[in-house]
Each structure stands twice: as structure tokens, then as C-alpha cells.
Amino acid sequence: MSKVNNNVPLEYSTEENNLKIFGFWVFLGAEIMLFGTLFASYFTLVDRTGSGPTGAEIFEITPVLIETFVLLTSSFTIGLAIHAMRLGSKKATINFMVITLLLGAVFLSVEIYEFYHYVHVGAGLTVSAFTSILLTTLGTHGLHVTMGLFWGALLVYQIAKRGLNSVTAGKTFIFSLYWHFLDVVWIFIFSFIYLKGMM
Amino acid sequence: MKEFFAQFAIPHPSLLIYIAMASIVLGTIALVAVVTYFKLWGYLWREWITTVDHKKIGIMYLITALVMLFRGGVDAVMLRMQLAVPDNTFLDAQHYNEVFTTHGVVMILFMAMPFITFFFNFLVPLQIGARDVAFPRLNNLAFWLFFMGMGLFNISFVIGGSPDAGWTSYFPLAGNEFSTSVGTNYYMLSLQIAGLGTLMTGINFITTIMKMRAPGMTLFKMPMFTWSALIANLIIVFAFPVLTVALAMGTMDRLFDTKFFSIGNGGMDMLWANLFWVWGHPEVYILILPAFGIFSEVISTFARRNLYGYTSMVWSMVVISVFSFAVWTHHFFTMGQGALTNSIFSITTMAIAIPTGVKIFNWLFTLYKGKIEMTTPMLYAMHFIPLFTLGGVTGVMLAMSAADYQYHNTMFLVAHFHNVIIPGVVYAMLAGLTFYWPKMFGFMLNEKIGKATVWVMSTGFVLSFIPMYITGLDGQARRMYTYSDATGFSLLNMVSFIGAGIMTVSFLMIVWNIWYSFKNSPRNISSDPWNARGLEWATHTPIPNYNFAITPDVTDATSEAFWDSKKNGTKLFKGKIEDIHMPNNSGQPFVMAVAFFILGFAFVFSMWYLAIVGLIVILGCMAFRSLEDDHGYHIHAHEVEETEKKYAKKGGAK
Ligand code: HEM
Ligand SMILES: [Cu+2]
């Protein structure tokens, strides 16, 4: 199916890419259910702290603000990467991708510190239903970011080696959807886990 | 060293398990010997294991489903045998627990699910006039993940012990405290791996159906089975992630001592019940809607008229799919959730009976106005309608939350859900199997044996399940391994056992029919032996790997494009033959699925080094796939023309 349509952006130019982008949206539907289930469980268990600490006792605002800041910025830079891709600039695309991944790495490092902090103050995974669901929800998001870093790195390598064509463009566009999605999930985590928990 | 092997020992061995062990070992040796002797390894690898052809993947699902039908069937017979007489000692309590658990899981997840997935794979691309599914490689991966999950589950009873907490695996019963063997680890991990495959199937088929329909096929021109497949796959995509999360939490509770479902430290066992049924209730509609789709195809074909009320058929399925997510707590009316909640879920549950009733009336009207031809598939459908209606009525009885306190967790419930699942799902699958058999294998199954099978099966069904309604109302609890004669349940349970025996005979008759027809049926049948209606019959038999030499155009046709072309001369294949682009086979999904199996096995026994090995292979496969350059290949127009000429010479409809 090598019919190429030149009137649309590169990532939509082949039938194969159209299928993949559509399929990825469906996958994101499943991801919404996944995180939705985690959130529902979180709200069920949030006050069931047993002998362990509550959220208000362990949450620290500074690392969370840093995490939020870098992740939101990275969502912006991946947008710029796609913009550069549409303009056909391979170099700018790569640069913005790399910045995005670096920001993601910063996010992850801070999150690892945060987990270390929780364990340190006696809020490890096995302490209570609340800590179990808290660390699982955050961890699932963190795991997604980790996967995204590997995936993004492979993509940067491919764009560098093969240039921007319908294949790499399609993959990069799908990656950007994934990255934006993680950002949206984080906004929910930030608002409903941290802000609400600290109030 | 000794300790290492001790962990794989079975905690509750019995003579039956040793026999099963021996037969597994002997069976495997025999299989390997036969394949090696006939030098079939290469053939299996090239033509089946690595295939991306949706028809072959479908047939692999079919084989798995049929094997599991017998695995689950043996369990069922053991259960009924144990209850046939009071105070029986054939199985002890522990063994009984293991058998009803594996029976339930195997039948729902490893028999019914692959059976419907076989139909998705085999039929959907043909019905919508496509050459393949949207993601052929993912399709292969989905099958092998499903298969490895199935395999992992099935080795439990010879390595480490079966799960024994019921197919619902309620906590705290399923926690470490009460389920001490690794059995429940197997449950959690094998369902997780198979579920991943199912989710991929869901994404694949939604994309296929939404994006790859033949020119002119609007949504409301899709064949009824394709509609049911679309809706079932949408339910899959929305329901399975809930199971993923629940199983992950359950696994963590068992392996890492988290506190999700524990009794102390804030854990909440009802959270498991809720999550399980938020997935579990939609799951039964994932099974039943495609079954409805198959019956619609069969009934319109053999009533020799188009389906009555096509649009209302579609809308009723849409309504059912939405409602299926709103009824889950009817599974625990009696677990103390208060009158208001019970009333709400009581009403939503009963409301599902309305769209279901619409469908039944539509089938009846189709029959009423049609010229009925009583073939084997049609006979299954004719038995389905009254039996399923009975199951629906008892479902509404269960849905009355106040009354449910009487029959909750009794044999009445068991009778109800078998009464919907067997005439609903199993009959549909067998009807569809008989119907599409010639399309798959090029010969018909014997009609005499086929019809006799249906009658024997229904006789067995009625004898084994109707008595359970009665003992259930009298208070015979489900999941009880024995009872005393003073309860008065003895006679009816014996009848039930005899019924189960008769059903067994009917399943053996299917095997016999396949063998008999393989030997004796004529091979020179046309590619449309039933005089059927959908696009899937507009292909050759056997179907070439590209399905359609020219993509059909159904602009001028209805949802029964092939019928229109036969009756009104509507032209389906316009234009000329062009090069056809095809995907390459790949062994990589299989390797990845094996790595998932290893990962799952490692988790069951907490062998972390092995788990890391599995994980690295999986990540390696993903990286490899990302960097790989695979553009598929082309079948050139002249090759296609030659193939088509060969078919033309053989005769038969096109
Ligand atoms: C008219 C439609 C239906 C109604 C009103 C209905 C209602 C119910 C209710 C209220 C229960 C819970 C009973 C209790 O715990 O005491 C139940 C259980 C069950 N139903 Fe249905 N149902 C319907 C259709 C189906 C279908 C189509 C299937 C499968 C294809 C199915 C499979 C099951 C299963 C497996 C259970 C067992 C749950 C357990 O292990 O506790 N039902 N149903
Ligand atoms: Cu239900």
C-alpha cells in the first residue's frame, strides 16, 4: 500500500500510517481506562491509611512542582518537534526531541528522589492500602515515562539515520500523542492526588 | 538444590493428578515424535507459527478453543461425578475447589474467548471485503500471548498446584493467608498475559472494521456479525484494562505484600470484587454479542430472507454494550451494600432484558416470514431461542435483589448462567463452526450426525441443568463438594450427572463427525454450498492468501452483498487485477510471547533472575521491532491472474 498522498502532513501520507494513528488512539482509550481504574482505586483507598501516614503528612510540594514544571514544558517541546517535522527540518526535530527526552529524564530523577523520600519517612509500598495505591499509581505513570524515554531515544536514532520520511514521521507523531497523554495523566495526578491531598 | 525443586512440587497430589501428569508427558513425547518423524517442524514454523494470515491465525484460535473445550469438559464431568451421589469421596474438598476453579477459568477465558476470537479473525476481514486485518503482525503476537497465558495456566496443576479460589478469585480467600500454594499466582499472571493479547485483538479489530471496509460499505451496511464484532471489541478495549489493574494489584498483594485487598492496614477486599466484576460483567457480553452475530447470519441464511429489523438489531447491541458496564454489583447484592445501591443495580440489570428481547423478537419475525430450511446450524439456532429465553428469565429472577438473598450462591445461579452461556455462546460457536467449516476446509460436515448431535446435546443440557434450578431453590449451595442424603438432593443430582454424561456423548459426536466427514465427504463442493448471503462467501474455497483478487465494491449492494449479486446481478468486482501488497511472516512475536511465558513463570515462583532474563528479551524484541525495516512484499498481478485461472478451471462459484 504505497499510495502516497502529498496533500496532507507527512505522518498521514500513507494508508499504513493512517491505520497506525487510528489504532494508537484506540490504545489511548484503553490507557484512559487503565489510569481511570487506578484513580478510582486511589479514591477508594485514600483514607484507608491503617497504621501508616496520610498523604498530608508525607507530600512535599517542591519536588512535585519541579516534576509538574518539567513535564509540562516537555509537552510543549514535543509539540515544537512535531511543528519542526511538518516544516521538514530534520535538525530542529531532533533537537526538540532530545530536549523533550532530557526533560523527561529530569522528571524521572525527581520522581525517584520522591520515592526514596516516601520510603525514608515510612511510607513504603507495603505500609498500608493508601501507600500501596499511591506508589502504584505514581509508579505506573513513571513506568510509562521510562518506556517513553527508551522509545523516544530509538526514534531520535532513526530520524538521525534515515531522515524524515513517512515511516519516521508517523512514528514520531504517534510518540508525541503518547507523550501528551502522559502529561494529561500527570495533571490529574497533580490536582487530585497532590493538591487535594495537601489541602 | 533440593529446595529449588521442592517449590515446584504439587501441594495436594492425588492419583488423578498423577494420571494427568503421565498423560501430559506421554502426549508431549508422542506429539514431538510425530512432528519430527514427518519432518513437520519447518512447515509448522513457516506456515503457522510465524504466519500473519488472519485465516490461519483464526484456525489456531479454533484449535486452542476445541482442545480447551475438552480440558474444561473433563473438569465438568468430574464435578458432576463427585456430586452424583451423597457423601461421595471421589474428590476431596481441596481437589473439588481446584477443579471448579480451573473449569470456570478455562471455559470462559480459554475456550469461549478464543472461540469468538477465531470468528473475529476468520470472518471479519472477509465480511468487510478486506485483504487482512489492520495490524497483521500484532495479530500474530496477540495470538501467541493468549496462547502462552493459556499454557501457563494449564501447567499449574502439574507444577506447583492449581488455583483454588474460584474463577472470581475473591480476596481474602485468594490472599496468601488462605491460598497458600502458588496456584493463585498462576491465575493472576496467566490471565494477565492472555488479557494483554486480548486487548491487542480489540485494538486491531476496531481499527480494521473502522478503517478497512470495502468501498461503499457504510457502517449500516455491515453484516450483522461484523457489527457484533465491532461492539464486542469496543467492550474489550474498555473492560480489559480494568482487569489488568485488578490482576496487577492482586499479584502485588501476593508477591510483594502490598495491602490492597488485605484485611488489615486499610486493605479492602470489596475493591477486588468491584474491579473484577466491572470487567467480568462486560466480559459475558463480549462473549454473547458475537454469538448473537453468528445466529443472525445463520438464521437469515436458512430462513432464506434478510434479517428482520436490521437497524434495531444494531441499536439493541449498542444499548446492551453501554448497559453492560452499569450492572456489575448485581454479583454481590448480598454482601452488604445497602438497599439503594441494590435497587439501582437491580433495575439496570433488568433493563438489559429489553434490548435482548428486541433481538429475540427480530429473529422470530425473520423466521415467521421466511422459508425455513432445517440444516444443522439452523437446528442449533432453533434450540438456542427457547433455551436462552429460559436463561434470560431466570436472570431477571436473579436480578431482583431482595429475592437474590434466597438463591445467591446456590445451584440456581449455576443453572442460570449455564443456561445463557451454553445455548447462547456454545451453541452459536458450534453452529458457526458447522456453517463455516466448508469455507475453511473445503468439505461439508455430515448433516445426519450434525443434527443428531444437536438433539443429544439439548437433551443432555436439559437433564443436567434444569434439576439444578430445583435443588438451588431448595438451598443446595454452589461450590460445596458434598452433601448428605438427608437433604433430598440425591436423585436430582444423579439426573444431572446423567445429563452431563449425555452432553459428553454429544461432544464426542462432533469429533466423530469431523473424522467421518474428513474421510467420506465429497471435495468438489462449490465455494457457496449453503447458498449464503454475505461477502465472505464470494471468495474461493480454499481462500487464497490475498482473499479477494479485486477488492469488492458494495456501493450498489445491501448488507448482504453476495446475495444481491446472485439475485439482482449487482456487480461486486469492478476494475482489473493489480499488484497486491502483503505483509511478511515473522518469528519475532512468537519469541516475544515465549519471553512473556518465562516472565510469568518466573513471577509465579518469585525467581527474579529468570524474570529479568524474560524482561530483557521482551524489551529487546520491542527495540528490534522499532528499528526493523519491513516493507512486506508484492504479489504481482500476473501471479494473481494465474491463481484465479486455476480456480476457474476447478469450477465453482467465484
Ligand atoms: C438477561 C440477561 C442476564 C441477566 C438479567 C443476568 C443476571 C445475573 C445476575 C443477577 C447474576 C448474579 C447472581 C448471584 O450472585 O446470585 C448473574 C451471574 C452470572 N451471569 Fe448472568 N445475567 C444475564 C445474562 C448473562 C449472560 C449472557 C452470561 C454469559 C454469557 C451470563 C453469565 C453469568 C455468570 C458467569 C454468572 C456467575 C457469577 C458468579 O460466579 O457469581 N449472564 N447473572
Ligand atoms: Cu453480571
Side-chain angles (χ1 to χ4, degrees):
Chain A
M1 254 143 274
S2 20
K3 271 172 261 155
V4 177
N5 182 351
N6 291 321
N7 302 322
V8 292
L10 200 53
E11 68 269 19
Y12 283 107
S13 62
T14 65
E15 205 171 315
E16 196 183 332
N17 280 1
N18 274 306
L19 288 178
K20 286 192 172 150
I21 293 169
F22 183 89
F24 198 78
W25 277 107
V26 180
F27 170 73
L28 287 184
E31 289 273 74
I32 290 174
M33 286 307 291
L34 184 98
F35 281 103
T37 308
L38 284 170
F39 278 116
S41 306
Y42 180 82
F43 293 127
T44 311
L45 300 177
V46 62
D47 296 323
R48 305 177 70 99
T49 49
S51 54
T54 65
E57 287 163 18
I58 57 170
F59 291 153
E60 277 187 338
I61 190 74
T62 322
V64 175
L65 282 179
I66 299 174
E67 285 168 306
T68 308
F69 178 73
V70 291
L71 206 62
L72 287 186
T73 314
S74 79
S75 207
F76 179 64
T77 55
I78 190 72
L80 292 178
I82 297 301
H83 191 65
M85 186 176 88
R86 293 219 171 127
L87 294 176
S89 167
K90 173 177 155 183
K91 204 164 148 240
T93 311
I94 292 180
N95 287 343
F96 282 122
M97 283 282 285
V98 170
I99 295 173
T100 306
L101 295 178
L102 286 177
L103 290 168
V106 173
F107 170 87
L108 208 62
S109 318
V110 180
E111 185 158 65
I112 290 170
Y113 159 78
E114 202 194 329
F115 273 42
Y116 169 80
H117 162 78
Y118 291 146
V119 176
H120 196 69
V121 297
L125 188 65
T126 61
V127 171
S128 70
F130 164 67
T131 62
S132 293
I133 188 67
L134 173 72
L135 296 184
T136 302
T137 308
L138 298 179
T140 307
H141 178 266
L143 214 59
H144 274 74
V145 174
T146 316
M147 280 301 285
L149 292 184
F150 281 116
W151 181 9
L154 285 171
L155 283 181
V156 170
Y157 171 77
Q158 285 171 64
I159 301 171
K161 208 157 158 230
R162 297 174 193 160
L164 290 173
N165 54 38
S166 64
V167 177
T168 49
K171 287 181 178 181
T172 311
F173 182 73
I174 289 174
F175 175 76
S176 79
L177 292 180
Y178 179 79
W179 201 262
H180 287 309
F181 173 76
L182 293 186
D183 204 42
V184 173
V185 173
W186 181 261
I187 292 172
F188 277 87
I189 291 180
F190 179 72
S191 324
F192 293 107
I193 293 185
Y194 290 112
L195 288 187
K196 198 165 164 291
M198 280 185 276
M199 272 189 316
Chain B
M1 200 59 186
K2 219 166 142 203
E3 256 169 51
F4 178 76
F5 282 106
Q7 65 175 332
F8 302 124
I10 324 156
H12 310 284
S14 74
L15 183 63
L16 282 171
I17 291 183
Y18 288 129
I19 295 173
M21 237 182 223
S23 48
I24 288 179
V25 173
L26 292 178
T28 313
I29 293 175
L31 199 70
V32 172
V34 167
V35 174
T36 312
Y37 182 79
F38 290 104
K39 299 202 173 62
L40 289 175
W41 290 113
Y43 166 77
L44 280 182
W45 177 260
R46 279 190 312 274
E47 297 290 324
W48 293 92
I49 294 173
T50 62
T51 189
V52 286
D53 183 335
H54 67 96
K55 302 178 285 296
K56 285 187 175 167
I57 292 176
I59 288 175
M60 293 196 288
Y61 275 111
L62 173 65
I63 294 169
T64 317
L66 289 174
V67 171
M68 284 299 112
L69 179 65
F70 283 89
R71 157 78 160 87
V74 170
D75 284 346
V77 172
M78 290 204 288
L79 295 172
R80 280 330 313 181
M81 195 186 282
Q82 166 63 21
L83 294 178
V85 291
D87 301 315
N88 200 357
T89 53
F90 168 60
L91 301 175
D92 59 25
Q94 171 62 27
H95 200 174
Y96 191 83
N97 291 350
E98 293 174 8
V99 175
F100 71 65
T101 303
T102 52
H103 166 73
V105 176
V106 164
M107 282 304 200
I108 302 262
L109 286 145
F110 301 128
M111 187 285 283
M113 281 303 272
F115 223 137
I116 62 157
T117 317
F118 149 64
F119 283 111
F120 294 161
N121 267 286
F122 193 80
L123 283 184
V124 165
L126 300 178
Q127 285 204 327
I128 63 175
R131 293 227 161 89
D132 208 330
V133 294
F135 311 115
R137 182 80 87 82
L138 190 72
N139 204 17
N140 178 294
L141 178 61
F143 171 75
W144 285 115
L145 283 178
F146 160 77
F147 187 88
M148 293 300 163
M150 185 274 302
L152 191 63
F153 189 82
N154 275 291
I155 61 169
S156 67
F157 75 114
V158 288
I159 308 176
S162 291
D164 53 3
W167 87 283
T168 50
S169 219
Y170 282 155
F171 283 79
L173 178 62
N176 285 327
E177 196 183 340
F178 299 107
S179 291
T180 45
S181 82
V182 293
T184 304
N185 297 354
Y186 270 115
Y187 171 98
M188 299 281 161
L189 289 151
S190 61
L191 262 57
Q192 189 72 283
I193 294 171
L196 222 60
T198 305
L199 181 64
M200 289 175 188
T201 300
I203 294 170
N204 208 342
F205 279 88
I206 292 173
T207 313
T208 307
I209 299 173
M210 293 310 289
K211 289 282 181 183
M212 293 176 74
R213 297 191 307 274
M217 187 179 284
T218 56
L219 279 179
F220 278 86
K221 268 194 201 174
M222 291 196 310
M224 197 46 70
F225 177 75
T226 298
W227 255 116
S228 71
L230 175 62
I231 295 175
N233 281 295
L234 280 165
I235 306 180
I236 285 177
V237 167
F238 285 101
F240 267 76
V242 181
L243 179 69
T244 304
V245 172
L247 290 172
M249 289 177 175
T251 310
M252 285 165 71
D253 264 9
R254 289 186 56 86
L255 296 181
F256 307 135
D257 198 29
T258 50
K259 303 291 186 293
F260 292 108
F261 310 125
S262 65
I263 296 295
N265 267 320
M268 189 179 182
D269 49 357
M270 280 313 288
L271 180 62
W272 167 269
N274 276 286
L275 294 180
F276 182 87
W277 284 113
V278 168
W279 161 79
H281 194 84
E283 164 69 16
V284 304
Y285 292 93
I286 295 170
L287 299 177
I288 199 74
L289 292 179
F292 287 172
I294 293 281
F295 280 130
S296 298
E297 302 288 347
V298 166
I299 288 175
S300 62
T301 302
F302 297 112
R304 301 284 172 225
R305 82 176 286 270
N306 56 343
L307 202 60
Y308 182 89
Y310 175 94
T311 323
S312 61
M313 281 300 221
V314 172
W315 283 111
S316 60
M317 282 197 287
V318 174
V319 171
I320 289 176
S321 71
V322 174
F323 269 53
S324 71
F325 281 92
V327 302
W328 78 93
T329 86
H330 67 211
H331 293 273
F332 34 88
F333 281 151
T334 60
M335 296 193 206
Q337 60 202 346
L340 181 65
T341 313
N342 273 0
S343 309
I344 291 171
F345 283 95
S346 201
I347 291 165
T348 52
T349 303
M350 290 186 209
I352 291 195
I354 298 167
T356 312
V358 168
K359 301 190 77 73
I360 293 190
F361 281 113
N362 280 336
W363 288 317
L364 291 176
F365 281 125
T366 309
L367 292 168
Y368 175 69
K369 297 203 175 163
K371 273 204 291 295
I372 298 174
E373 191 181 334
M374 204 50 87
T375 58
T376 305
M378 189 63 160
L379 195 60
Y380 275 113
M382 292 302 97
H383 286 216
F384 150 76
I385 294 178
L387 289 177
F388 182 83
T389 306
L390 177 65
V393 170
T394 57
V396 175
M397 286 173 71
L398 283 163
M400 295 187 262
S401 56
D404 192 46
Y405 279 83
Q406 171 62 21
Y407 25 67
H408 172 71
N409 262 349
T410 66
M411 282 296 169
F412 186 88
L413 166 78
V414 178
H416 151 69
F417 71 74
H418 286 89
N419 204 170
V420 281
I421 285 184
I422 293 175
V425 181
V426 178
Y427 277 31
M429 297 301 115
L430 296 175
L433 184 69
T434 318
F435 190 46
Y436 287 106
W437 190 272
K439 187 89 287 187
M440 285 187 285
F441 300 111
F443 62 93
M444 307 278 280
L445 291 176
N446 185 287
E447 279 288 291
K448 265 207 187 110
I449 306 176
K451 282 185 214 165
T453 307
V454 187
W455 282 107
V456 175
M457 194 177 294
S458 292
T459 311
F461 174 80
V462 168
L463 284 178
S464 45
F465 291 99
I466 303 300
M468 288 191 217
Y469 280 123
I470 303 167
T471 60
L473 288 177
D474 269 350
Q476 186 186 0
R478 95 198 255 217
R479 297 180 177 175
M480 287 269 285
Y481 88 107
T482 194
Y483 53 90
S484 80
D485 197 29
T487 54
F489 300 149
S490 314
L491 178 66
L492 286 168
N493 276 291
M494 180 49 92
V495 173
S496 238
F497 173 56
I498 293 169
I502 296 174
M503 287 194 84
T504 311
V505 172
S506 71
F507 287 110
L508 293 176
M509 283 169 79
I510 294 174
V511 179
W512 178 47
N513 193 349
I514 292 175
W515 178 247
Y516 180 88
S517 309
F518 174 71
K519 288 265 162 197
N520 298 317
S521 281
R523 301 301 144 113
N524 59 348
I525 55 166
S526 82
S527 58
D528 176 28
W530 302 108
N531 192 14
R533 311 172 81 88
L535 262 186
E536 69 271 31
W537 298 98
T539 54
H540 301 293
T541 302
I543 310 172
N545 59 347
Y546 50 77
N547 294 353
F548 300 94
I550 301 169
T551 306
D553 183 331
V554 297
T555 318
D556 306 322
T558 63
S559 68
E560 299 177 325
F562 187 50
W563 182 252
D564 295 339
S565 83
K566 285 192 286 189
K567 200 155 159 262
N568 316 328
T570 316
K571 212 164 161 345
L572 289 179
F573 301 101
K574 301 164 191 166
K576 62 177 191 354
I577 293 176
E578 286 170 29
D579 286 3
I580 295 174
H581 183 253
M582 301 290 287
N584 283 323
N585 285 1
S586 168
Q588 187 198 313
F590 180 74
V591 173
M592 190 160 161
V594 170
F596 264 101
F597 181 90
I598 294 170
L599 184 72
F601 187 81
F603 261 75
V604 169
F605 291 98
S606 308
M607 301 189 290
W608 305 123
Y609 287 112
L610 189 62
I612 291 170
V613 173
L615 200 65
I616 288 175
V617 177
I618 292 168
L619 290 174
C621 283
M622 288 163 90
F624 183 83
R625 175 64 174 145
S626 172
L627 296 172
E628 182 188 30
D629 238 340
D630 180 2
H631 298 299
Y633 68 101
H634 281 88
I635 310 179
H636 293 289
H638 63 90
E639 292 171 66
V640 178
E641 266 157 19
E642 245 155 61
T643 318
E644 292 292 306
K645 253 184 233 144
K646 258 183 237 150
Y647 279 107
K649 228 181 271 161
K650 266 193 357 198
K654 49 165 258 39

